Amino acid sequence: MEFSATPIIYGAIFIAVLLLVEGVYLVAFGKSISLNARVNRRLALLEKGASREQVLEQLRKEMTQHMNAKSIPLYAILADKAQKANIAFSPRQLIMIMLALSALAYVGLSVGTEAETGVRALVAVAMGFGGVYMWINSKAKKRLSLIEEQLPDAVELMVRSLRVGHPFSSAIGIVAKEVPDPLGTEFGIIADEAAYGRDIAESLKALAERMDMQDLRFLAVAVSIQSQSGGNLAEVLEGLAKVIRSRFKLFRRVKAITAEAKWSGMFLSAFPIVALVLIQILKPDYYDEVKETSVFIPAALAVGTFLVINVIYMKIMVNIKV
């Protein structure tokens, strides 16, 4: 039986692209960008000797640089995800990395496959740009998920600080010191901005809009209303913490209930692609008798179109809004 290693080579090169971009990111910024570190990135930068003003300037630049670069052609596709993931690379650096990875993928395809030059170039560009997009999307999802988990604990920490007599700005500062990334650095930025005169409610609202998170909007609105009308902020935040935690539990319950349907959808969507790859590996001449016919390419395009529609509808069916 004749085997073809070409699909395996394509997959190995794409995995190598993902590993390379992660490796370059870690080499460039070290552990300070790790979301699992006990000491958040802001405190780590302060410990290295940078002043509070320099750290705030650097973090705010990283925080806004991607949305400010949406005018760059095609970069708007990445900008929103890169902002939510808080990628420390600048937009220009990301574009250079995508081009470099595309070039490396092209070299790998040239060495490992016998595809035509145009096909190699197209696949290499898709791997370079697609790999970076998948990496950024994964970072964004992980970061937003961690913020959702940390937020109830952070609000409860603020409640305890307020009840022992600390002002709200000090409560924000305590969260910035005690909570790890990603929320610790975000609240640290708010604490630094408040120290330089910005209204805390405005900073919280900007954070909520940047993260596009409903729970953060609730927090910003609660603080804004209390600053205008007065009242017991500790009680308001305590109730908010309970609401956020209840919402989080509901999301987890819905996620558990729909897990079977989601995995079924993923399996049904991936099965035709896996079957095609296995056919190409185990019997590469399987389509030789029909691929020269006039209907082969239209049929392949039609099958590909139906497969894409199937993936989209599967995703829509299992994406339940709460």
Side-chain angles (χ1 to χ4, degrees):
M1 181 183 292
E2 183 181 357
F3 290 91
S4 174
T6 301
I8 299 176
I9 293 172
Y10 279 93
I13 292 174
F14 185 68
I15 293 172
V17 167
L18 295 175
L19 294 176
L20 274 172
V21 66
E22 178 69 19
V24 171
Y25 196 55
L26 290 174
V27 169
F29 300 100
K31 293 183 178 180
S32 67
I33 44 84
S34 175
L35 295 179
N36 299 321
R38 290 186 177 181
V39 179
N40 61 56
R41 184 154 190 254
R42 172 177 167 271
L43 294 180
L45 292 174
L46 289 172
E47 288 179 356
K48 291 180 179 179
S51 67
R52 188 176 184 182
E53 185 178 357
Q54 290 173 332
V55 172
L56 176 61
E57 182 180 358
Q58 178 181 346
L59 294 176
R60 290 189 69 180
K61 180 181 177 182
E62 294 174 359
M63 188 171 66
T64 59
Q65 61 184 348
H66 298 290
M67 294 307 292
N68 293 337
K70 290 187 73 173
S71 59
I72 299 176
L74 298 180
Y75 191 78
I77 301 173
L78 286 173
D80 184 60
K81 296 289 185 182
Q83 175 182 273
K84 291 178 179 177
N86 199 35
I87 300 297
F89 282 134
S90 67
R92 181 173 295 181
Q93 289 172 334
L94 270 179
I95 292 173
M96 291 176 62
I97 288 170
M98 287 188 286
L99 293 174
L101 291 175
S102 298
L104 289 173
Y106 181 80
V107 173
L109 291 171
S110 300
V111 172
T113 67
E114 298 179 355
E116 296 180 0
T117 303
V119 174
R120 291 200 304 268
L122 184 62
V123 174
V125 171
M127 285 185 176
F129 285 73
V132 172
Y133 179 83
M134 286 184 61
W135 175 73
I136 291 175
N137 187 51
S138 175
K139 291 282 186 184
K141 286 183 177 180
K142 182 179 180 181
R143 191 166 187 269
L144 291 175
S145 177
L146 283 172
I147 289 176
E148 288 177 346
E149 290 185 19
Q150 292 174 329
L151 187 57
D153 294 332
V155 175
E156 289 176 352
L157 181 57
M158 285 188 283
V159 171
R160 291 194 293 269
S161 300
L162 291 171
R163 283 182 171 168
V164 298
H166 291 151
F168 186 63
S169 57
S170 297
I172 293 288
I174 291 172
V175 172
K177 292 179 181 179
E178 298 296 332
V179 177
D181 272 337
L183 197 60
T185 293
E186 293 290 351
F187 272 77
I189 294 172
I190 293 173
D192 290 341
E193 289 177 339
Y196 287 105
R198 188 179 185 185
D199 183 62
I200 293 180
E202 291 182 4
S203 298
L204 286 170
K205 184 178 179 180
L207 171 62
E209 294 302 323
R210 193 169 71 251
M211 293 294 103
D212 191 23
M213 191 175 296
Q214 193 64 34
D215 293 334
L216 283 171
R217 291 192 180 97
F218 291 156
L219 176 61
V221 169
V223 173
S224 178
I225 292 175
Q226 192 276 337
S227 65
Q228 294 176 11
S229 61
N232 191 333
L233 183 58
E235 290 185 3
V236 174
L237 294 183
E238 183 180 18
L240 178 62
K242 292 179 180 179
V243 170
I244 294 173
R245 201 174 291 280
S246 298
R247 278 168 49 84
F248 189 70
K249 289 181 179 178
L250 179 60
F251 290 150
R252 284 292 179 90
R253 181 175 296 180
V254 171
K255 186 176 180 180
I257 293 173
T258 59
E260 181 180 358
K262 287 185 177 181
W263 278 103
S264 297
M266 291 171 60
F267 174 79
L268 292 174
S269 300
F271 180 77
I273 299 175
V274 174
L276 180 61
V277 171
L278 290 176
I279 289 172
Q280 291 298 312
I281 294 174
L282 299 176
K283 193 172 178 57
D285 59 344
Y286 184 79
Y287 295 105
D288 285 353
E289 295 182 2
V290 295
K291 69 180 182 180
E292 301 297 334
T293 62
S294 59
V295 298
F296 180 75
I297 294 180
L301 292 175
V303 170
T305 302
F306 282 119
L307 180 59
V308 172
I309 294 173
N310 167 72
V311 171
I312 293 173
Y313 271 92
M314 283 288 183
K315 191 170 183 178
I316 292 173
M317 289 173 64
V318 299
N319 187 21
I320 298 175
K321 300 292 184 180
V322 179

